[in-house]
Amino acid sequence: MDFEWIMESLRQGITEMTWLEAIAVFFGISSVYYSIKKNIMVFPTGMVSTLIYVYLCLKYKLYADMGINAYYFGMSIYGWYLWSRPATGKEELPVTWLSNVGIYKSVILFLLSYGVLFLVLSKFTDSDVPYWDSFTTSSAFVGMWLMAKKKVENWIAWIITDLVSIPLYFYKGLMLTSFQFIFFTVLAVIGLVSWMKSSKKVSNGY
């Protein structure tokens, strides 16, 4: 790939970057920070970021990503409610690896969601990136599902989502968002290593 073209695109994208995207990236990174700290502020900061991205994805014809951000927004409301009213006397869900059946279900979930999303985007919208928009959204669906079940593989799904999102948002001219996904990739790798250690402790009976 032409390095000079990449640098020129980067300079142009930064020049054309809107204050709205900058705010979305700021609150997105803040949300990840609070998530690492297990602070309830993860939800309000995440809601600001995802709400802005719903608008940005609509504007840039990333319709599947628009839907996933709307879903994130709804889940943030639900999570905020649960975190503010913690249940007592309940055992914490352990971190584990998927069984063979779980892997099969994850693959089926990805393929089904990808097929439906691609069909909708290619037939009923003016999206110019239906393949990639559907891919990132489908892998994010899998990542969310596995994270809810505290499966180690959720981080693998997020790493794949982030790696594909980097060039996708770069192509769309959302440069800060593209760099945000680089940051998210690093965090996902850290999360994967951490959860692998946690699952090992569970298997060893600690």
Side-chain angles (χ1 to χ4, degrees):
M1 184 177 292
D2 190 341
F3 181 73
E4 291 185 5
W5 176 83
I6 294 176
M7 293 305 297
E8 179 59 32
S9 298
L10 178 60
R11 284 191 291 267
Q12 182 180 353
I14 292 176
T15 302
E16 296 175 354
M17 179 183 60
T18 66
W19 61 270
L20 198 59
E21 183 190 359
I23 293 174
V25 169
F26 172 78
F27 278 99
I29 293 176
S30 298
S31 181
V32 173
Y33 170 79
Y34 286 123
S35 177
I36 293 172
K37 296 293 184 180
K38 297 180 181 179
N39 189 306
I40 199 169
M41 285 298 292
V42 61
F43 299 115
T45 52
M47 288 167 67
V48 172
S49 179
T50 54
L51 191 60
I52 293 174
Y53 273 118
V54 167
Y55 168 76
L56 289 176
C57 287
L58 175 62
K59 179 180 178 181
Y60 287 88
K61 302 178 182 180
L62 293 170
Y63 301 115
D65 273 7
M66 180 186 71
I68 201 73
N69 274 286
Y71 178 77
Y72 288 155
F73 184 84
M75 287 300 292
S76 292
I77 296 174
Y78 180 64
W80 197 352
Y81 174 81
L82 290 181
W83 280 40
S84 61
R85 295 168 176 76
T88 57
K90 287 199 173 181
E91 206 173 308
E92 184 181 354
L93 186 66
V95 175
T96 57
W97 290 86
L98 281 171
S99 64
N100 290 335
V101 174
I103 294 174
Y104 175 77
K105 288 181 178 179
S106 299
V107 173
I108 292 298
L109 175 61
F110 173 80
L111 293 177
L112 285 176
S113 58
Y114 180 85
V116 171
L117 285 168
F118 175 74
L119 179 64
V120 171
L121 291 180
S122 59
K123 298 293 185 181
F124 303 105
T125 75
D126 57 349
S127 172
D128 58 345
V129 284
Y131 291 100
W132 301 112
D133 197 6
S134 300
F135 185 94
T136 55
T137 304
S138 298
S139 56
F141 272 136
V142 174
M144 286 187 293
W145 180 61
L146 296 181
M147 181 169 281
K149 292 179 172 291
K150 274 198 173 180
K151 298 299 181 180
V152 175
E153 290 89 345
N154 90 88
W155 291 112
I156 298 174
W158 286 122
I159 290 170
I160 293 172
T161 302
D162 295 339
L163 288 174
V164 177
S165 294
I166 293 168
L168 175 61
Y169 280 88
F170 186 93
Y171 169 75
K172 284 294 184 177
L174 296 168
M175 310 309 297
L176 262 184
T177 302
S178 180
F179 282 112
Q180 178 184 235
F181 278 106
I182 295 176
F183 179 68
F184 285 167
T185 302
V186 174
L187 291 180
V189 171
I190 294 172
L192 175 61
V193 173
S194 176
W195 281 39
M196 287 173 66
K197 291 179 180 178
S198 296
S199 68
K200 190 174 182 180
K201 289 180 180 180
V202 171
S203 62
N204 289 336
Y206 293 113

